[in-house]
Amino acid sequence: SPLFLLGNFVVTHNCYKANIPWQVPGMPKPIENMILRYVKSKADWWTSVAHYNRERIRRGATVDKAIARRNCGRLTRLWLKAEQERQRNYLKDGPYVSADEGVTIYVTAVHWLESRRFSPIPFPPLSYKHDPKLLILALERLRESYSVQGHLNSSQREELGLIEQAFDEPHSALARIKRLLLTQRAFKEVGIEFMDMYSHLIPVFDIEPLEKITEAYLDQYLWYEPDKRRLWAPWVKPADSEPSPLLVYKWCQGVNNLDGAWNTANGECTVMLEAKLSRVFEKIDLTLLNRLLRLILDHNLADYMTAKNNVVISFKDMNHVNSYGLIRGLQFAPFIFQYYGMIIDILILGLQRASEIAGAPTMPNDFLQFKDVETERRHPIRMYMRYIDRVYMLLRFDDQDDSRELIQRFLTENPDPNNENVVGYNNKRCWPRDSRMRLMKHDVNLGRAVFWDIKNRLPRSLTTIEWDDEASFVSVYSRDNPNLLFDMAGFEVRILPKCRQLTEGSAAQDGSWALIDDRSKERTATAFLRVDDASIQRFNNRIRQILMSSGSTTFTKIANKFNTALIGLMTYYREAVVHTREMLDLLVKAETKIQARIMLGLNSKDSNRMPPVIFYCYGAGFRVRMADGSTKAIEDISVGDQVLGADGLPRD
């Protein structure tokens, strides 16, 4: 009957969405085929609409809030279907790490830890003197996430109650935590949702509250003890010693202070490589991870951390067991990744060069420092850093024969008879044409050869770097290329040495850093800064989020959210914003949109009803630049006065 068919149509489509096989025993084959044809056509439509709306959202089209939420749910289901297929393939075809690769990785880790004289981290004893401090830090970190939330669901209220209970009874909380670390190896299922950032989706994991408190304590313990034992190499970033903008400045200074960094008279070259380690989180083999963790941790902690990744992940009516890859929502996931990433770093650098960069175990080197110039010049890799999954490396070829030999090896395996290597070579198009890398044959081949050499050092079963990835770029400084270009932590940087500057005045521009040579104490190069395109897009997406949520919040909150986003942007990028015309234009447009939305809500087009204090929340006495160039205290500005806008133009 039609009702029977209609009911089966709905059930079959729901089975498709949940990735559950649909089958009705005894159903006639023609009817089954009809239902399957219908479901296939509806599934194609359902998927194409999800991708169509996603593309519209990514491009910046105006999309209704309900459509954006529904689109996020559909993409979550599509992602989980692909993830379930990936997990099934691993169980069928895995493990992907071969026996030889596993032995090589394990032996490399053993030799590294022995060379650093690392003593393994024991299980936290019952009378561990730092227990109260670590527990308080863990609980405060968990409680922080609730400081900005208005409405809590039952699970969040339960977690907050357990946090307060642990504050009140720390000894019983610690005893419970250590008992769970010793004995618990089966865990409750982990919920997953995606947070829509418009340009990309971020997975958010919902973990059972009691387990989360245990994880949070373990996370604090894992960061404290290895740091005391000097587990981390100086190239592992981010680190507490430098915020991201300072890290970029240190890298620029490090390049400038290299011995003979800007000499090109005899054909010397400097090569800057940046690349993203592809899918490291997804490719972590839990058995290999357990063996590597046991080298630095008590076996009970290693088993707990590994088992915590082998749990059921669920979303509504979909679920699967995670057998392959790291769950990023765990409190100690950053520790696992940084340790696993450090092993990958050693595979890239080699044990010898890694030891030279790290220094002696008793007197480790600071970041970007060598024991002496001779050690620095011993190997082409002069600087190395890994910022989470982004690798940055600077190589210096002091001998022209070394670069030629590398190019020859690359061209032997990748012949280029028609000089096509220039085609598709990534370049920094954000800079003016005369400031980009000039695609000369030698420099292009050297850039590709360096990338090829580093890629060959990485086992594909762990990760790889892709030339076509937008995060990959190799800049070559040589006779024909006076600029060294790279992108780091949201900054686009162009270093121009003083010896290659045509005019002295080019060094005094806004949005640049003067790089001082440590030996001569003179300015020997200038680093020009811009905000990179991804960060501009991220700020634009944040404004879109504020505008999309404006229908269900107060006008004061809208203005406060805009102020928070603006202050965060300006304090992070500072002088780089001045030199980024696209960023300045976006700031003006964003403020106009926010003001228009609030005026629309106030049912008024009169700008006099929009006091400037909403958008410029500064205290009394703050000096504001007026349109005529003078400054006034903010409390002395009255309606009708013209101030200087962010775009350099006067505005009321």
Side-chain angles (χ1 to χ4, degrees):
S1 69
L3 285 176
F4 171 77
L5 283 174
L6 189 60
N8 274 285
F9 286 157
V10 173
V11 170
T12 312
H13 183 62
N14 288 340
C15 286
Y16 162 77
K17 290 197 296 181
N19 206 24
I20 300 170
W22 173 82
Q23 195 170 13
V24 178
M27 178 175 284
K29 203 68 179 171
I31 294 177
E32 184 178 328
N33 290 338
M34 185 196 316
I35 293 171
L36 289 174
R37 278 200 308 274
Y38 164 79
V39 168
K40 185 180 183 311
S41 61
K42 186 170 182 181
D44 290 342
W45 164 83
W46 188 84
T47 307
S48 62
V49 167
H51 288 297
Y52 170 72
N53 283 332
R54 183 78 228 155
E55 186 59 27
R56 288 183 63 220
I57 292 169
R58 193 187 63 78
R59 282 202 324 265
T62 304
V63 177
D64 187 66
K65 188 176 180 180
I67 292 175
R69 192 184 296 116
R70 194 182 308 128
N71 178 257
C72 187
R74 287 185 177 183
L75 289 175
T76 303
R77 286 188 177 278
L78 290 171
W79 182 86
L80 281 167
K81 283 161 78 76
E83 180 63 14
Q84 288 173 4
E85 183 67 22
R86 194 177 78 91
Q87 297 289 342
R88 276 197 298 270
N89 289 339
Y90 173 77
L91 293 174
K92 185 175 68 174
D93 305 327
Y96 300 130
V97 180
S98 68
D100 290 342
E101 285 177 338
V103 169
T104 302
I105 294 162
Y106 185 81
V107 169
T108 301
V110 169
H111 287 168
W112 170 257
L113 293 170
E114 285 178 351
S115 71
R116 306 310 296 168
R117 300 176 192 169
F118 183 78
S119 56
I121 301 162
F123 191 88
L126 284 174
S127 57
Y128 185 57
K129 65 177 181 179
H130 298 300
D131 265 347
K133 293 178 183 176
L134 295 180
L135 181 64
I136 288 170
L137 285 171
L139 296 174
E140 284 181 347
R141 188 178 176 202
L142 290 177
R143 194 166 60 178
E144 268 178 20
S145 60
Y146 293 105
S147 60
V148 292
Q149 292 194 13
H151 304 288
L152 304 178
N153 59 34
S154 59
S155 175
Q156 291 169 330
R157 283 196 297 271
E158 180 192 354
E159 182 178 332
L160 205 52
L162 288 169
I163 290 170
E164 296 301 334
Q165 184 183 344
F167 268 118
D168 295 337
E169 302 172 8
H171 295 294
S172 60
L174 285 165
R176 184 186 66 233
I177 286 169
K178 291 177 182 179
R179 187 179 69 251
L180 292 175
L181 289 175
L182 273 173
T183 60
Q184 190 176 17
R185 296 296 178 266
F187 303 93
K188 293 188 177 179
E189 66 179 31
V190 173
I192 185 173
E193 290 183 349
F194 278 87
M195 185 164 60
D196 194 353
M197 306 303 290
Y198 300 143
S199 59
H200 60 285
L201 297 173
I202 297 177
V204 179
F205 295 89
D206 182 23
I207 294 166
E208 198 270 332
L210 210 56
E211 293 176 10
K212 193 187 284 188
I213 292 173
T214 306
E215 288 175 30
Y217 167 81
L218 179 58
D219 180 52
Q220 295 294 334
Y221 180 75
L222 288 174
W223 284 111
Y224 174 73
E225 284 292 333
D227 196 50
K228 193 171 69 173
R229 289 168 161 76
R230 293 177 174 172
L231 170 66
W232 306 113
W235 64 72
V236 177
K237 303 295 175 184
D240 292 337
S241 53
E242 59 268 309
S244 297
L246 177 59
L247 180 66
V248 179
Y249 178 73
K250 279 189 175 182
W251 185 269
C252 294
Q253 278 289 88
V255 174
N256 187 52
N257 284 316
L258 282 177
D259 186 59
W262 309 123
N263 295 339
T264 58
N266 298 317
E268 301 98 322
C269 296
T270 301
V271 181
M272 171 78 194
L273 178 146
E274 58 182 274
K276 183 177 180 180
L277 298 173
S278 173
R279 304 181 64 197
V280 191
F281 289 101
E282 293 93 331
K283 288 186 172 185
I284 292 180
D285 187 285
L286 297 183
T287 306
L288 175 63
L289 175 65
N290 183 266
R291 294 298 173 193
L292 292 174
L293 286 174
R294 282 176 173 231
L295 293 175
I296 61 166
L297 296 172
D298 177 80
H299 67 93
N300 290 301
L301 296 179
D303 291 346
Y304 179 89
M305 294 165 71
T306 310
K308 198 74 182 72
N309 284 282
N310 190 22
V311 293
V312 175
I313 295 178
S314 66
F315 171 75
K316 295 184 178 177
D317 52 2
M318 303 179 75
N319 62 73
H320 68 275
V321 177
N322 186 73
S323 307
Y324 181 45
L326 182 69
I327 296 176
R328 282 176 271 183
L330 302 176
Q331 297 289 318
F332 49 74
F335 173 86
I336 291 178
F337 183 81
Q338 290 291 48
Y339 171 59
Y340 192 81
M342 190 170 72
I343 305 300
I344 294 174
D345 297 334
I346 296 163
L347 294 174
I348 293 174
L349 293 168
L351 280 168
Q352 180 66 31
R353 192 55 174 173
S355 297
E356 290 172 354
I357 293 175
T362 51
M363 291 184 61
N365 292 335
D366 291 332
F367 181 49
L368 304 180
Q369 297 290 324
F370 282 94
K371 183 178 69 173
D372 50 45
V373 174
E374 183 185 347
T375 309
E376 177 190 304
R377 297 175 65 104
R378 194 174 291 159
H379 193 279
I381 298 177
R382 303 293 168 85
M383 294 167 57
Y384 183 85
M385 179 182 76
R386 180 179 51 78
Y387 192 96
I388 309 177
D389 59 350
R390 298 283 292 263
V391 170
Y392 298 90
M393 188 184 310
L394 190 119
L395 300 92
R396 174 75 181 165
F397 295 95
D398 292 319
D399 190 345
Q400 199 171 7
D401 293 337
D402 292 342
S403 58
R404 281 180 180 166
E405 182 190 345
L406 180 59
I407 292 170
Q408 191 59 48
R409 283 196 290 120
F410 168 70
L411 292 177
T412 302
E413 289 203 24
N414 304 273
D416 183 34
N418 300 322
N419 296 326
E420 293 175 351
N421 280 341
V422 175
V423 180
Y425 193 96
N426 291 344
N427 213 333
K428 296 291 185 183
R429 300 186 185 278
C430 58
W431 296 105
R433 190 176 293 275
D434 60 342
S435 300
R436 300 174 194 166
M437 178 176 163
R438 298 167 187 168
L439 302 182
M440 313 301 288
K441 182 179 176 181
H442 172 272
D443 292 355
V444 165
N445 284 336
L446 180 58
R448 284 187 179 265
V450 166
F451 194 90
W452 165 81
D453 183 45
I454 299 303
K455 183 176 180 178
N456 287 343
R457 302 181 188 190
L458 290 167
R460 287 195 68 87
S461 56
L462 297 192
T463 184
T464 187
I465 53 177
E466 299 294 346
W467 177 261
D468 296 328
D469 191 333
E470 61 182 14
S472 298
F473 179 65
V474 184
S475 174
V476 178
Y477 171 82
S478 64
R479 284 178 186 165
D480 300 313
N481 272 297
N483 295 289
L484 192 68
L485 310 170
F486 63 94
D487 169 14
M488 184 183 291
F491 291 86
E492 288 282 1
V493 184
R494 174 172 69 92
I495 301 180
L496 180 64
K498 185 179 178 181
C499 60
R500 305 292 287 270
Q501 291 173 6
L502 299 177
T503 59
E504 189 66 28
S506 62
Q509 293 184 14
D510 289 333
S512 64
W513 292 329
L515 303 180
I516 309 300
D517 186 272
D518 283 347
R519 294 173 289 270
S520 65
K521 304 301 179 186
E522 295 180 355
R523 181 187 65 80
T524 51
T526 305
F528 298 94
L529 307 174
R530 279 178 53 93
V531 182
D532 70 3
D533 293 340
S535 300
I536 295 173
Q537 188 60 44
R538 202 177 301 122
F539 179 77
N540 186 36
N541 288 337
R542 177 60 189 144
I543 299 303
R544 290 172 62 198
Q545 284 178 329
I546 294 170
L547 292 171
M548 191 171 282
S549 66
S550 63
S552 57
T553 189
T554 62
F555 303 132
T556 307
K557 282 186 179 178
I558 297 171
N560 286 343
K561 286 178 180 178
F562 176 73
N563 279 333
T564 303
L566 186 61
I567 292 168
L569 178 89
M570 300 304 291
T571 51
Y572 184 90
Y573 290 103
R574 299 169 68 91
E575 57 266 59
V577 177
V578 179
H579 201 62
T580 313
R581 174 55 57 185
E582 298 87 344
M583 189 81 250
L584 296 175
D585 293 344
L586 178 60
L587 287 173
V588 175
K589 289 176 184 175
E591 185 178 10
T592 304
K593 285 179 183 177
I594 297 286
Q595 285 182 338
R597 180 59 56 91
I598 295 180
M599 283 194 283
L600 188 67
L602 291 172
N603 195 22
S604 168
K605 298 293 182 186
D606 184 4
S607 61
N608 291 333
R609 293 187 62 186
M610 297 297 296
V613 71
I614 290 180
F615 296 100
Y616 305 98
C617 300
Y618 300 108
F622 183 82
R623 309 296 294 182
V624 176
R625 179 76 62 184
M626 309 303 290
D628 60 1
S630 62
T631 61
K632 267 190 184 181
I634 193 166
E635 66 269 23
D636 296 334
I637 297 175
S638 55
V639 176
D641 289 350
Q642 285 199 318
V643 298
L644 201 64
D647 54 357
L649 299 174
R651 57 203 308 188
D652 293 326

